[in-house]
Amino acid sequence: MSQATNQSWGGRFSEPTDAFVARFTASVTFDQRLARQDIQGSIAHATMLSRVGVLTDEERDAIINGLTEIQGEIERGEFNWSVPLEDVHMNIEARLTDKIGITGKKLHTGRSRNDQVATDIRLFMRDEIDVIEVELKRLREGMIELADREADTIMPGFTHLQTAQPVTFGHHLLAWQEMLARDHERLLDCRKRVNVLPLGAAALAGTTYPIDRHVTAELLGFERPAENSLDAVSDRDFAIEFTSFASILMMHLSRMSEELVLWTSAQFDFIDLPDRFCTGSSIMPQKKNPDVPELVRGKTGRVYGYLMGLLTLMKSQPLAYNKDNQEDKEPLFDAVDTVRDCLKAFADMVPAIEPKKDSMYEAARRGFSTATDLADYLVRKGVAFRDAHEIVGQSVAYGLKTQKDLSEMSLEELQQFSSIIEQDVFDVLTLEGSVAARNHIGGTAPNQVRAAAQRAREALSLLQGQA
């Protein structure tokens, strides 16, 4: 075997790999991130091999001790990563052999880099999902608490970005929370399909050694071994599913970001974000830019791209493993980092939002936001809804002409459109009366918002208990 060929596969090759091809096909520059999971999987594999008699206890201990020392070298930044060794697996195995001799070469018995990398990625994704889940939970908790505090804070609700009906800031925040609740369920559901062990599938057809995959699964905390060796080494559905979750989550965060950007503008002036989440302008001293939500909104596109990239990566691959799958890691790694960082930023920022209650209230008074309440009032007085709609439309036209909100009109002014209107109409034309009247589950009444916040807390606690 040529000295320049890779020791893991170079036996049948008569010349070394071209230097450019070696760099082009190597993955160690990015998959070294899987080192901890690779060592974790190798320790479990060696332990299992000793239990079934393929390795002696002495060989097992030498391998485990060597791998533990290598983990320390990596954590201290002392490990020398080699591109000619291609990937994280062969770098660690080569170092193990340097440390403990020929016993290090026995570690790869009964496995392939195909099932090894599939196991590493699943271990990595399981770890990262758990971290992301903590940040998502923290964001939901902060959002629920802020919603509870702001259950009485009136603001305009919008459709088509036009004033529609009054709601409360707490009610609006709980709408965001509902989006995140669905994301949370999707994440935990994705984790179930990540938590399946590929190790033991070997290259594609299993191994002739008397391995016990249930032992390995138990040692690594997997729910079960994968059922089919061909599928085990080539499946990347779990990566696609995670980026699908990530794309939906980022879409939700982007929608929230858009509203935060609007609300901090001088034109809306609904909220203030603490200075630590904003930046200034290099030329305009008065500027306070909402950079965190803007960046989250911008990063959404890259996560969408990773989802499409992984779908495209897998769409034409025959069974089983193909080199194409090396391209799964970089988009997956960046999607993980992006989602984790965006959630952390939001979990820190959202509880610190300071609503400008007076501005919100004044905005809700503009745009005839209680017009529907007037129509409902007329219906309760016996007017057909379509006729009530017409009456209110005439009232609004009058308000536009006179620059008066419905609540600012006198009884006589309102009665010119319908004699049915009486003094009690002003109970429903106030913003407070409007939000309080929607006193049903899912409604805007402050007591319903507080009840919804409590249900959200309980649901979050229950979801945690099931995780």
Side-chain angles (χ1 to χ4, degrees):
M1 180 174 67
S2 168
Q3 188 175 6
T5 56
N6 188 298
Q7 63 177 318
S8 71
W9 49 259
R12 62 95 67 209
F13 284 76
S14 59
E15 62 178 349
T17 305
D18 179 85
F20 165 74
V21 173
R23 291 195 308 273
F24 183 71
T25 58
S27 60
V28 69
T29 54
F30 52 85
D31 72 10
Q32 62 184 258
R33 182 169 178 175
L34 298 172
R36 183 171 63 83
Q37 288 81 15
D38 195 71
I39 290 172
Q40 182 184 0
S42 290
I43 289 174
H45 184 64
T47 301
M48 180 275 295
L49 289 178
S50 72
R51 289 192 188 181
V52 298
V54 173
L55 293 179
T56 67
D57 290 349
E58 292 75 14
E59 290 171 330
R60 175 201 63 202
D61 292 344
I63 287 171
I64 292 176
N65 291 336
L67 289 171
T68 302
E69 291 175 9
I70 291 169
Q71 179 68 50
E73 293 175 3
I74 293 171
E75 291 173 352
R76 293 190 300 271
E78 300 170 358
F79 192 88
N80 182 31
W81 296 101
S82 168
V83 170
L85 289 174
E86 293 186 351
D87 56 35
V88 60
H89 324 294
M90 289 313 305
N91 269 265
I92 291 173
E93 184 177 320
R95 177 62 178 145
L96 180 65
T97 302
D98 288 343
K99 291 176 75 68
I100 68 172
I102 194 171
T103 300
K105 295 183 178 182
K106 295 185 177 183
L107 172 61
H108 208 55
T109 304
R111 74 175 182 183
S112 161
R113 284 191 294 178
N114 294 355
D115 62 343
Q116 189 176 356
V117 68
T119 301
D120 289 359
I121 296 173
R122 286 177 182 267
L123 286 169
F124 170 82
M125 287 306 305
R126 194 178 67 188
D127 292 343
E128 292 297 328
I129 284 172
D130 290 345
V131 172
I132 288 169
E133 201 255 342
V134 169
E135 292 298 331
L136 182 52
K137 177 177 180 289
R138 192 163 68 90
L139 173 55
R140 290 183 63 193
E141 288 173 339
M143 197 172 283
I144 291 166
E145 292 309 309
L146 182 59
D148 202 357
R149 291 199 305 271
E150 303 300 332
D152 294 295
T153 301
I154 292 175
M155 67 176 292
F158 299 94
T159 62
H160 309 277
L161 208 55
Q162 306 295 311
T163 300
Q165 293 176 289
V167 297
T168 69
F169 188 42
H171 191 63
H172 196 111
L173 290 168
L174 287 181
W176 289 0
Q177 198 282 141
E178 287 296 310
M179 300 177 191
L180 297 178
R182 296 191 293 271
D183 293 328
H184 202 158
E185 291 178 354
R186 272 186 283 267
L187 178 64
L188 294 179
D189 201 47
C190 173
R191 191 188 189 282
K192 295 175 185 177
R193 280 174 286 283
V194 169
N195 203 29
V196 177
L197 174 71
L199 203 59
L204 77 161
T207 177
T208 58
Y209 292 94
I211 62 172
D212 189 334
R213 298 183 67 210
H214 290 283
V215 168
T216 312
E218 182 179 354
L219 290 169
L220 291 173
F222 283 105
E223 184 177 339
R224 60 178 176 83
E227 286 286 343
N228 183 281
S229 61
L230 287 167
D231 180 63
V233 297
S234 59
D235 169 39
R236 294 298 182 270
D237 288 3
F238 64 93
I240 295 170
E241 186 172 358
F242 175 82
T243 50
S244 175
F245 147 80
S247 296
I248 297 172
L249 170 69
M250 291 299 296
M251 176 268 290
H252 288 152
L253 295 182
S254 184
R255 293 182 69 186
M256 298 171 200
S257 295
E258 174 70 7
E259 292 188 319
L260 291 172
V261 170
L262 287 172
W263 292 350
T264 57
S265 69
Q267 290 71 27
F268 276 77
D269 197 32
F270 283 3
I271 64 168
D272 188 41
L273 294 177
D275 290 351
R276 64 186 180 275
F277 299 107
C278 303
T279 64
S281 167
S282 62
I283 190 173
M284 295 171 284
Q286 84 283 8
K287 293 296 293 298
K288 180 179 175 179
N289 300 323
D291 277 15
V292 167
E294 287 178 351
L295 268 175
V296 171
R297 186 177 60 186
K299 289 178 181 294
T300 301
R302 69 197 288 169
V303 176
Y304 288 0
Y306 297 144
L307 172 59
M308 293 309 301
L310 288 172
L311 285 167
T312 304
L313 175 71
M314 297 303 299
K315 75 175 182 65
S316 299
Q317 286 196 40
L319 289 171
Y321 182 84
N322 299 278
K323 190 67 169 179
D324 312 45
N325 285 349
Q326 183 171 296
E327 289 295 302
D328 65 351
K329 295 170 195 65
E330 290 175 289
L332 190 58
F333 291 164
D334 195 70
V336 163
D337 292 342
T338 301
V339 166
R340 186 187 59 243
D341 290 349
C342 289
L343 281 172
K344 177 174 172 28
F346 258 64
D348 290 342
M349 178 181 64
V350 167
I353 292 173
E354 299 175 8
K356 297 184 176 182
K357 299 182 181 183
D358 291 342
S359 294
M360 286 183 172
Y361 190 90
E362 286 303 310
R365 291 182 69 248
R366 298 190 298 271
F368 306 95
S369 63
T370 58
T372 304
D373 298 276
L374 179 55
D376 291 342
Y377 169 87
L378 291 168
V379 170
R380 288 194 297 272
K381 294 281 187 176
V383 179
F385 180 79
R386 287 300 170 199
D387 292 336
H389 192 284
E390 176 67 19
I391 292 168
V392 176
Q394 293 171 358
S395 304
V396 168
Y398 176 81
L400 290 169
K401 183 178 179 180
T402 60
Q403 295 187 337
K404 289 183 178 181
D405 185 68
L406 293 173
S407 62
E408 297 172 327
M409 297 179 190
S410 67
L411 180 60
E412 290 73 21
E413 286 176 305
L414 290 169
Q415 285 179 334
Q416 66 182 309
F417 305 108
S418 174
S419 59
I420 292 177
I421 297 175
E422 298 175 336
Q423 186 65 37
D424 61 349
V425 72
F426 294 104
D427 294 337
V428 303
L429 292 183
T430 64
L431 299 178
E432 291 82 1
S434 177
V435 297
R438 290 164 174 80
N439 190 20
H440 53 75
I441 187 169
T444 61
N447 65 301
Q448 290 292 343
V449 173
R450 293 188 181 93
Q454 181 57 31
R455 289 194 298 273
R457 289 189 196 95
E458 292 169 357
L460 180 54
S461 177
L462 182 62
L463 193 64
Q464 283 294 109
Q466 295 172 348

